[in-house]
Amino acid sequence: MPGGADQTLIPFLWRAERLYDDTEIVSRTHEGRVRYDYADYADRARQLADVLSADGHGRGDRIATFCWNHHRHFETYFGVPGAGTQLHTINPLLPDHHVEFIVENADDRVIFVDPSLVEKLEGPAGSAAFDGVEQFVVMGDTVPDTSLSPVTDYESYVAGGDPGYEWPDIDEDQAAGMCYTSGTTGKPKGVEYTHQMLWAHTMTTLTPQGIPVADDDAVMPVVPMFHVNAWGLPFSTTAAGAKHVYPGPSPEPADLVSLIEDEGVTVSAGVPTVWLGIQQYLQEAEGDLSTLERVIIGGSAAPESLIRWYDQEHDVEVVHAWGMTEMSPIGTVASLKSGMDHLDYDGELDKRTKQGMPVPGLEMKVVDDDGNEVPWNGEDFGELLVRGPWVTREYFERPRATEEEFEDVPASDASGESEEQHSSGRWLRTGDVVTVDEEGYVDIVDRTDDVIKSGGEWISSVELENAIMAHDDVAEAAVVGVDHDTWGERPVAFVVPAGDVDEDALAGDIQAMIEADYPKWWRPDAIRFIDEIPKTATGKFSKMTLREEYGDRVHVQDVPEDAAPEAEEE
Amino acid sequence: MPGGADQTLIPFLWRAERLYDDTEIVSRTHEGRVRYDYADYADRARQLADVLSADGHGRGDRIATFCWNHHRHFETYFGVPGAGTQLHTINPLLPDHHVEFIVENADDRVIFVDPSLVEKLEGPAGSAAFDGVEQFVVMGDTVPDTSLSPVTDYESYVAGGDPGYEWPDIDEDQAAGMCYTSGTTGKPKGVEYTHQMLWAHTMTTLTPQGIPVADDDAVMPVVPMFHVNAWGLPFSTTAAGAKHVYPGPSPEPADLVSLIEDEGVTVSAGVPTVWLGIQQYLQEAEGDLSTLERVIIGGSAAPESLIRWYDQEHDVEVVHAWGMTEMSPIGTVASLKSGMDHLDYDGELDKRTKQGMPVPGLEMKVVDDDGNEVPWNGEDFGELLVRGPWVTREYFERPRATEEEFEDVPASDASGESEEQHSSGRWLRTGDVVTVDEEGYVDIVDRTDDVIKSGGEWISSVELENAIMAHDDVAEAAVVGVDHDTWGERPVAFVVPAGDVDEDALAGDIQAMIEADYPKWWRPDAIRFIDEIPKTATGKFSKMTLREEYGDRVHVQDVPEDAAPEAEEE
C-alpha cells in the first residue's frame, strides 16, 4: 500500500532546528539558570545520540533517567529515542524496592542521574538488580563523591559526541519511551511508547481542543518529566517551535513565579498542589502572572475555588485534563466547547471542573458490569474504556495484567480479507468509574476498586465521602464496601470527628443528610468512628488498609426492603 | 510492540456525532439550501455504508464521485471509507478520454454523479472503459432522462440502508481515498490515500501552524471536493466538530457572499480566481464578510494586491498554502511565525505571498542537479523534495512514474535489525524549483520541467517572463530552454507585443532590462515575436507546445565568454 513515511519524533526536532533555530530553551539547574536555543539543543541531542551509538547502544536498549525537569533531561528526550534507543524515565520518588524492580525489569543500560538524587539512587544501585547498568552519568559537569560506578559527568560524556551525527532511520513501531505505572497493589507495570504513539499524541494535543501550543508560546512543564513525559509537553512544544522553560530541581513557588515573570511563560502544567502553593505564595508576596494564559491541571482534580481564583485574580485559564500512563497520557481536556453560550459563569465552572471531553482521535465508552454502555446523562455511571493510536495495548512483560486491563472486542471485518485481530478492537479498562453528561464531559466519580456494588447497582464511595465531609463536625471520612450475603457489598463509613463531638448524634446527622440527597440504598449500613484514615505513600486514602483492618469486624445489618436497589429502580 | 489503535477516520466522526450532535452541516444544492446536523449526517453516512456493504462492496473496491461540493458528496467522505471501500473523487472538468482512462484504471464499481453533470458523464460512460461500473447514482431524489444505466437516485439508494449500521474494523493501511493528478504530459497518475495518511494529514492541519479549525468555526470549502479532498477540510472540520458549509454546484460570487453572511462562515478556502471574483463582486455590490476570519488560498499563487485588499478592506487574513495531490495535499502554510515582529506590513506581506513553512511532521530539502542541498538564503534554488506520513510513496500501478518521481535515500540503520528499506527514506520529487529564505519560507520559482539549465546553473523561466511582461509594450511572454551544444540549454523568449510596436527596439529594451537586473548569462539568446502563447486546457502557458513548434527553428548564437555562468560565478 502507498502509505506515507513513518511517524517518528525526529522530524519535529528537524523542523524546530531549521525554522526556530534561535528560539530559546531555558532551564533552572543546580548551577543556576541556563539558556540556549534550538540550534544548540539539536547539536547536543545529536552528540548524546552519537555517544550512545558509539557505546554500542541501539534498538532494544533502554536508557534511563532519574532526574528533575531541566535542559539536560530534555536533551535525552530526543537524543535517546533519536539514537534508536528507548528513554525510560524513572520516578525518583518511588521506594527503593520499586526502583530496583523496574531497573531490572527494564534492563536499563545507562542511568542519567541528577546530582541531588545521586544519594537516593545509591541505595537501590547497590543491589544485584543494577548489575546490567553499564554507566551512570551525573547531570552536571562534575562527579560527586559516590558509590555509583562506573560514573562520569554529563558534560564530559556528551563532549565526545559529534554534533553532526546523522539520525539513523527509525521505524514508527520502534520503542521510544517507557514509564512505569504504580497501582496501590502489586509491582509497577511498564508501559512502552512507540515513536508512532508519541507522534500521534503530540499531534492530538496540538489541536485546538487538546493542549495547543503555538510558536509564540513559552511553555513551562512543572509536572515532572518522569510523569509520562511531562504530559508530552516537551514533544509538543518542540513540534510547535515554541520556547521551553524548565523549572529544575524542587522548585519553590517563588522560583516558579520568578520563571514566569522573567521568561514570559504563557502555558504551564502541573498537579493541583503546585498551583495551590503558588496561590498561597501570591497571597503574601508580589508576583506578576500577566503573561500566563493557561495552566493545565491534571493528576488529580483541582478544587473549583482554585480555578476561580486564577481566573478572577490573574486572568489565567485553568484547564483540567485527564489521562493515564497507559495513554501517553492525555485522554480528555475540559475546555469549553462551542454552543455553551447559555451557561453563566458558575455553569461554565461546572463543566471546567470535570475531566473534560475526549481529544480528537480517541474513542471512549462507559460500561456497566454487564458491558452495556450507560447513557450520557450525567447521572448513570460505569467504567470508562478508551482506545486510540496513543493508548497502549499491553503492559511490558505482564501478559496477565494485560489480559485483565484490556478488553478485546470481536472484530467484525466486513471485507473478510484481514486475518489478524485488529488493534483498534482493543479497549483499555481505565479503572475509573465515571459519568458523562449530555455535552460529553467526563466526570470521575470513583475507582472501580473503590466503587461499591450493591444489589447489582453501583454506589460511588467518593460521593458519599464528600457528602459526609461536608458536615462541620467531620474532619475526614472514607467509605468502603464490605461483603454482604444478600447484596454482595454494602457501604460502611469510617469517620474522623473534628474534635470532641457526640458520635451518636453525628451518625444520625450523617444518615439524615445522605438520605436527603441520595437513594435510600446508598445509606451506609454502619458508621465507624476512628482516629485517622490510613493513607498511601502518595497521601491518598488507603481503602485497602481499611478493608483489611476493619472489614471483618464491621457488623452489617440487613438493609430494610424499601432501601433495596430494585425497590428504588422503578 | 505495544503500539496503539489503528489510525482511521471513523473516530473523528464518532466524536463529532457524540460531542457535536446538533452542530450544523449546511449545503447549497440543486434543490436549494439544505441543513441538518452531525447526528443526521452520521445516520446517513452509515446508511450509505450499509447499502454499499449489502451490495457486496468491501475492501479493495473503489467507489467514485463526479460531483460538486454539497452535503451528499460529504456523506461519501465518511460513508465510503467507513464501509471499508475507497472513495475515488473524479474531476468532472477533465477531458472525456481522461475520465475514461481513470474510471477504467481505478476499476470504479459505483459512480455518484450530480444532476448537472449527468450529461457530461454520458459521453465517456458510453465507452468500454465503464464496463466495470455496476451502478450510477444521481445526487438528488429523482433520476433525469439519461443513458447512464443502471441508474437510481441517491435518496432512494440510501433509504434502504440501516442508520444503525456498525462500522467494520478497518486497518490503518487500508485505502480510504484516491485522486488522479494530471501532468501536462502523459496519462493521469493515481494517488491512493490510506486511512492513516488522511488521519495524519487531518492532525497536522489542525495544529496552530497548519489550517487550524476549532469547534466554533464555520468552514466553507470552495476548493472542489474532487481536488485532493478539498484540501482535507471536510475531514479536519469533522475532527474539530465545527460547522460545515458547502457552496454547491457552480457557485457565483453572490452565492458565496450570501452563504458567508447567512451561515457565519469563519474559514474558507479556494484558488485565487474565487477570491478575485468575490473582490470584483464586492467592489460593485454590498456584502458583509465580518464573520470571515481566514481564507486559505492554494492551487496557484495569490497576487499580493489580493492579500492586501482582503486584509485592509475586510479584515480577512489570506493564508497562502502549498501542496500536491501526492501530499494529501498540504505541505507548507504561509502563516507568520514568531520572532517576526521586526517586519513592517510590507515585510510581512513579502513572507505571506510565499508558499510558506513546512507543517509539523513534514520534512523537506532543496537540492541542486547533483543532489546537494542548497542553502536557505532566499536566492539559491533547486528542486523541492518532501517526505512525511501523509506523502504517498508511489503512484497507483505506475512503477516507472514512481521510480522517476521518488528518490530512495539509502537507509543507515544503526541497529542493523531492520531488513527492509524504511519508508521514511523515500523522498517525493515535487517538480517545483524553489528558494527557501533564512526564515524557512518556501518560494516556488519554477517547475523543473520549465527551468533552464545552462552551463550547470539554473535559470528561472518564470522570473524572466515576469521581467519581460513588466514592459508596457508586452502583452504576454514565455521563456523556454532550447538545446545548446556548449551550455546544454539556453533561454529563448517568445513575446506577444501589445499592439503595433517596433520589434527590434522592443527586443533591445528587453535585453537591456534583463541585463540590468540579472546575471549576464540569464539574457535570452533569442527573442521571437509571435501572435499568441499556446495555452493548456487549464489556461497555463504550454511550454511543451512552444518547444515542439519552435524549438528546432530557433537559431541560438554562441553566448559571449563573459556571459557564461562560470565567468559570473566567482
Side-chain angles (χ1 to χ4, degrees):
Chain A
M1 279 307 301
D6 279 7
Q7 295 172 356
T8 73
L9 295 173
I10 294 305
F12 295 145
L13 179 56
W14 170 83
R15 185 173 180 277
E17 184 185 8
R18 294 306 299 261
L19 299 182
Y20 299 97
D21 52 322
D22 53 6
T23 294
E24 283 185 318
I25 290 142
V26 179
S27 179
R28 180 173 165 272
T29 71
H30 292 281
E31 307 119 55
R33 208 176 288 183
V34 169
R35 66 180 63 238
Y36 57 45
D37 59 28
Y38 274 120
D40 302 319
Y41 172 82
D43 279 347
R44 286 170 60 90
R46 280 188 294 258
Q47 284 184 284
L48 171 58
D50 188 36
V51 172
L52 289 169
S53 299
D55 283 355
H57 302 299
R59 186 170 181 152
D61 287 339
R62 288 187 198 89
I63 310 297
T65 60
F66 201 76
C67 300
W68 305 111
N69 291 15
H70 48 70
H71 67 294
R72 292 188 183 102
H73 200 177
F74 176 44
E75 287 166 16
T76 69
Y77 267 54
F78 280 92
V80 173
T85 51
Q86 184 176 1
L87 179 67
H88 170 205
T89 51
I90 305 173
N91 179 348
L93 304 174
L94 288 176
D96 285 0
H97 68 282
H98 276 185
V99 174
E100 287 174 23
F101 170 77
I102 67 177
V103 166
E104 185 168 25
N105 188 239
D107 193 18
D108 293 321
R109 302 302 176 88
V110 178
I111 302 184
F112 294 90
V113 53
D114 271 9
S116 61
L117 293 166
V118 163
E119 202 180 322
K120 159 83 180 149
L121 190 62
E122 285 173 342
S127 79
F130 275 59
D131 283 355
V133 178
E134 299 163 19
Q135 180 73 55
F136 294 92
V137 182
V138 179
M139 286 303 206
D141 52 12
T142 55
V143 178
D145 207 23
T146 175
S147 62
L148 299 177
S149 172
V151 66
T152 185
D153 69 276
Y154 184 83
E155 293 303 327
S156 306
Y157 185 74
V158 298
D162 179 6
Y165 171 80
E166 293 204 6
W167 304 112
D169 220 24
I170 290 170
D171 199 86
E172 65 192 8
D173 290 330
Q174 204 164 325
M178 185 180 210
C179 270
Y180 280 76
T181 174
S182 46
T184 44
T185 56
K187 292 196 191 314
K189 297 186 292 268
V191 176
E192 294 187 283
Y193 308 114
T194 63
H195 275 266
Q196 182 170 48
M197 287 168 71
L198 297 180
W199 193 95
H201 183 265
T202 300
M203 285 298 190
T204 195
T205 55
L206 285 178
T207 64
Q209 287 195 320
I211 307 173
V213 173
D215 60 1
D216 56 357
D217 277 315
V219 182
M220 181 171 75
V222 184
V223 48
M225 294 172 79
F226 51 78
H227 273 169
V228 210
N229 306 317
W231 303 345
L233 286 167
F235 296 123
S236 61
T237 301
T238 305
K243 176 176 176 176
H244 299 244
V245 181
Y246 291 101
S250 322
E252 295 295 323
D255 300 318
L256 296 172
V257 170
S258 154
L259 282 166
I260 292 167
E261 289 174 340
D262 299 349
E263 306 301 339
V265 169
T266 59
V267 177
S268 189
V271 295
T273 319
V274 168
W275 305 106
L276 287 163
I278 291 181
Q279 180 187 22
Q280 280 163 12
Y281 171 79
L282 288 177
Q283 281 164 344
E284 287 157 25
E286 288 291 305
D288 177 9
L289 303 188
S290 60
T291 61
L292 194 60
E293 294 165 10
R294 275 174 302 145
V295 157
I296 317 302
I297 289 194
S300 56
E304 190 194 280
S305 57
L306 186 77
I307 300 179
R308 200 184 285 268
W309 185 84
Y310 275 96
D311 196 2
Q312 297 187 341
E313 299 295 320
H314 292 278
D315 196 21
V316 172
E317 184 189 5
V318 170
V319 180
H320 240 186
W322 168 85
M324 292 176 74
T325 303
E326 291 85 341
M327 299 175 71
S328 306
I330 299 297
T332 60
V333 178
S335 46
L336 278 183
K337 72 173 183 177
S338 61
M340 310 278 273
D341 306 335
H342 60 284
L343 295 178
D344 59 11
Y345 186 72
D346 285 343
E348 288 184 3
L349 271 186
D350 182 50
K351 296 295 180 192
R352 290 172 54 201
T353 51
K354 296 190 177 189
Q355 275 64 47
M357 297 179 297
V359 291
L362 191 79
E363 288 178 289
M364 67 177 203
K365 60 179 181 179
V366 181
V367 298
D368 62 21
D369 270 354
D370 300 324
N372 298 317
E373 284 200 57
V374 305
W376 290 15
N377 55 14
E379 293 189 1
D380 286 300
F381 49 81
E383 184 175 7
L384 177 63
L385 273 60
V386 294
R387 65 180 180 187
W390 56 92
V391 180
T392 191
R393 285 183 282 144
E394 64 186 31
Y395 291 110
F396 177 67
E397 295 183 352
R398 296 288 290 275
R400 208 173 67 195
T402 299
E403 207 173 291
E404 282 167 6
E405 305 197 26
F406 293 84
E407 180 183 82
D408 279 322
V409 174
S412 59
D413 191 335
S415 73
E417 272 189 38
S418 172
E419 288 176 15
E420 53 165 351
Q421 166 76 35
H422 283 305
S423 58
S424 50
R426 177 166 272 194
W427 295 84
L428 167 69
R429 307 193 74 100
T430 64
D432 283 317
V433 179
V434 307
T435 62
V436 185
D437 64 24
E438 290 82 353
E439 304 284 359
Y441 285 76
V442 172
D443 197 17
I444 297 182
V445 297
D446 219 331
R447 291 284 304 167
T448 47
D449 295 342
D450 297 332
V451 80
I452 298 154
K453 290 170 190 163
S454 180
E457 295 294 326
W458 288 7
I459 297 172
S460 166
S461 65
V462 172
E463 281 205 47
L464 285 180
E465 287 159 9
N466 289 340
I468 296 171
M469 287 193 281
H471 195 291
D472 287 341
D473 291 342
V474 173
E476 283 183 333
V479 175
V480 302
V482 298
D483 291 341
H484 188 282
D485 289 343
T486 310
W487 306 111
E489 279 185 334
R490 288 296 303 154
V492 169
F494 293 87
V495 174
V496 180
D500 195 18
V501 302
D502 176 343
E503 293 185 351
D504 281 350
L506 179 54
D509 274 11
I510 289 171
Q511 295 287 24
M513 277 170 61
I514 292 171
E515 208 166 319
D517 289 336
Y518 295 96
K520 275 185 190 163
W521 47 279
W522 280 47
R523 217 174 54 197
D525 280 13
I527 292 180
R528 290 285 303 258
F529 292 95
I530 56 179
D531 293 338
E532 194 186 1
I533 308 285
K535 309 274 190 335
T536 67
T538 56
K540 293 178 181 172
F541 291 167
S542 176
K543 299 193 180 178
M544 192 176 61
T545 312
L546 276 177
R547 280 188 215 99
E548 281 171 3
E549 259 183 63
Y550 298 95
D552 57 355
R553 287 189 279 141
V554 175
H555 173 68
V556 176
Q557 302 146 343
D558 279 347
V559 188
E561 274 303 310
D562 69 340
E566 267 69 18
E568 190 74 14
E569 275 285 273
E570 36 98 69
Chain B
M1 277 309 301
D6 280 8
Q7 295 172 356
T8 73
L9 294 173
I10 293 304
F12 295 145
L13 178 56
W14 170 82
R15 185 174 180 277
E17 183 185 9
R18 294 305 299 260
L19 299 182
Y20 300 98
D21 53 322
D22 53 5
T23 294
E24 282 185 318
I25 290 142
V26 179
S27 180
R28 181 173 164 272
T29 72
H30 292 281
E31 306 121 52
R33 206 176 289 184
V34 170
R35 65 181 62 239
Y36 57 45
D37 59 29
Y38 274 120
D40 303 319
Y41 172 82
D43 279 347
R44 286 170 60 90
R46 280 188 294 258
Q47 284 184 285
L48 170 57
D50 187 38
V51 172
L52 288 170
S53 299
D55 283 355
H57 303 297
R59 186 170 181 153
D61 286 339
R62 288 187 198 87
I63 308 298
T65 60
F66 201 77
C67 301
W68 305 110
N69 292 15
H70 48 69
H71 68 293
R72 293 187 182 102
H73 200 176
F74 176 45
E75 287 166 15
T76 69
Y77 266 54
F78 280 91
V80 173
T85 51
Q86 184 177 3
L87 179 67
H88 170 206
T89 51
I90 306 174
N91 179 348
L93 304 175
L94 288 176
D96 285 0
H97 67 282
H98 276 183
V99 174
E100 288 173 22
F101 170 78
I102 68 178
V103 166
E104 185 167 26
N105 187 239
D107 192 18
D108 294 322
R109 302 301 176 88
V110 179
I111 301 184
F112 294 91
V113 53
D114 271 10
S116 61
L117 292 167
V118 163
E119 201 178 323
K120 158 81 181 149
L121 191 62
E122 284 173 342
S127 78
F130 275 59
D131 283 356
V133 179
E134 299 163 19
Q135 181 72 56
F136 294 92
V137 182
V138 179
M139 286 303 207
D141 52 10
T142 55
V143 177
D145 208 22
T146 175
S147 62
L148 298 177
S149 172
V151 66
T152 184
D153 70 275
Y154 184 83
E155 294 302 329
S156 306
Y157 185 73
V158 298
D162 178 7
Y165 171 80
E166 293 204 6
W167 304 111
D169 219 25
I170 289 170
D171 198 87
E172 64 192 8
D173 291 330
Q174 203 164 328
M178 185 179 209
C179 270
Y180 280 75
T181 174
S182 46
T184 44
T185 56
K187 291 197 193 314
K189 297 187 292 270
V191 175
E192 293 186 284
Y193 308 114
T194 63
H195 275 266
Q196 183 171 48
M197 288 168 71
L198 297 180
W199 193 95
H201 183 266
T202 300
M203 284 297 189
T204 195
T205 54
L206 286 179
T207 65
Q209 288 195 316
I211 308 172
V213 173
D215 60 1
D216 55 357
D217 277 315
V219 182
M220 180 172 75
V222 184
V223 48
M225 294 173 79
F226 50 78
H227 273 170
V228 209
N229 306 318
W231 304 345
L233 286 167
F235 296 124
S236 61
T237 302
T238 305
K243 176 176 177 176
H244 298 244
V245 180
Y246 292 100
S250 322
E252 295 295 325
D255 299 318
L256 296 173
V257 170
S258 153
L259 283 166
I260 292 168
E261 289 174 339
D262 298 349
E263 306 300 341
V265 170
T266 59
V267 177
S268 188
V271 295
T273 319
V274 168
W275 306 104
L276 287 164
I278 291 181
Q279 180 187 21
Q280 280 163 14
Y281 171 79
L282 288 178
Q283 281 164 345
E284 288 159 23
E286 288 291 305
D288 177 9
L289 304 188
S290 60
T291 61
L292 194 61
E293 295 165 11
R294 276 174 302 147
V295 156
I296 317 300
I297 289 195
S300 56
E304 190 194 279
S305 57
L306 186 78
I307 299 180
R308 200 185 284 270
W309 185 84
Y310 275 96
D311 197 3
Q312 298 185 342
E313 299 295 319
H314 291 278
D315 196 21
V316 172
E317 184 189 7
V318 170
V319 180
H320 240 184
W322 167 86
M324 292 175 73
T325 304
E326 291 85 341
M327 300 175 69
S328 306
I330 299 298
T332 61
V333 177
S335 46
L336 278 184
K337 71 173 182 178
S338 61
M340 310 277 273
D341 305 334
H342 59 285
L343 295 179
D344 59 11
Y345 187 71
D346 283 345
E348 288 184 3
L349 270 186
D350 182 50
K351 297 294 180 192
R352 290 172 53 199
T353 50
K354 296 190 176 191
Q355 274 65 45
M357 296 179 296
V359 291
L362 191 77
E363 288 178 288
M364 67 176 204
K365 60 179 181 178
V366 181
V367 297
D368 62 20
D369 270 355
D370 300 323
N372 298 317
E373 284 200 57
V374 305
W376 289 15
N377 57 14
E379 294 190 359
D380 286 300
F381 48 80
E383 184 175 4
L384 178 63
L385 273 61
V386 295
R387 64 179 180 188
W390 55 93
V391 181
T392 189
R393 284 182 283 147
E394 64 186 31
Y395 290 110
F396 177 67
E397 295 184 352
R398 295 288 288 276
R400 210 173 66 193
T402 298
E403 208 174 291
E404 282 166 6
E405 304 196 27
F406 293 85
E407 180 184 83
D408 279 323
V409 175
S412 58
D413 190 334
S415 73
E417 272 190 38
S418 172
E419 288 175 15
E420 54 166 350
Q421 166 74 36
H422 281 307
S423 58
S424 49
R426 177 167 272 194
W427 295 84
L428 168 68
R429 307 193 73 100
T430 64
D432 283 317
V433 179
V434 307
T435 62
V436 186
D437 65 24
E438 290 82 353
E439 305 284 0
Y441 285 76
V442 172
D443 197 18
I444 296 181
V445 297
D446 218 332
R447 291 285 303 168
T448 48
D449 295 342
D450 297 333
V451 79
I452 298 155
K453 289 169 191 165
S454 179
E457 297 293 327
W458 288 6
I459 297 172
S460 165
S461 65
V462 172
E463 281 205 46
L464 286 179
E465 286 159 7
N466 289 340
I468 297 171
M469 287 194 281
H471 195 292
D472 286 343
D473 291 343
V474 173
E476 280 184 334
V479 175
V480 302
V482 298
D483 292 340
H484 187 283
D485 289 343
T486 310
W487 305 112
E489 277 186 337
R490 290 295 303 153
V492 168
F494 294 87
V495 174
V496 180
D500 194 16
V501 302
D502 176 342
E503 293 185 351
D504 282 348
L506 179 54
D509 275 9
I510 288 171
Q511 295 289 23
M513 278 170 61
I514 292 172
E515 209 167 317
D517 289 337
Y518 295 96
K520 275 184 188 164
W521 48 279
W522 280 48
R523 218 173 54 196
D525 281 13
I527 292 180
R528 291 284 305 258
F529 291 96
I530 56 178
D531 292 339
E532 193 186 2
I533 307 284
K535 308 275 191 330
T536 67
T538 56
K540 294 179 182 172
F541 290 167
S542 175
K543 298 194 179 178
M544 192 176 60
T545 312
L546 276 177
R547 279 187 217 102
E548 281 170 3
E549 260 184 59
Y550 297 95
D552 56 356
R553 286 189 278 139
V554 174
H555 171 68
V556 176
Q557 302 145 345
D558 280 348
V559 187
E561 275 302 310
D562 68 339
E566 268 70 19
E568 190 74 15
E569 275 284 275
E570 37 99 66

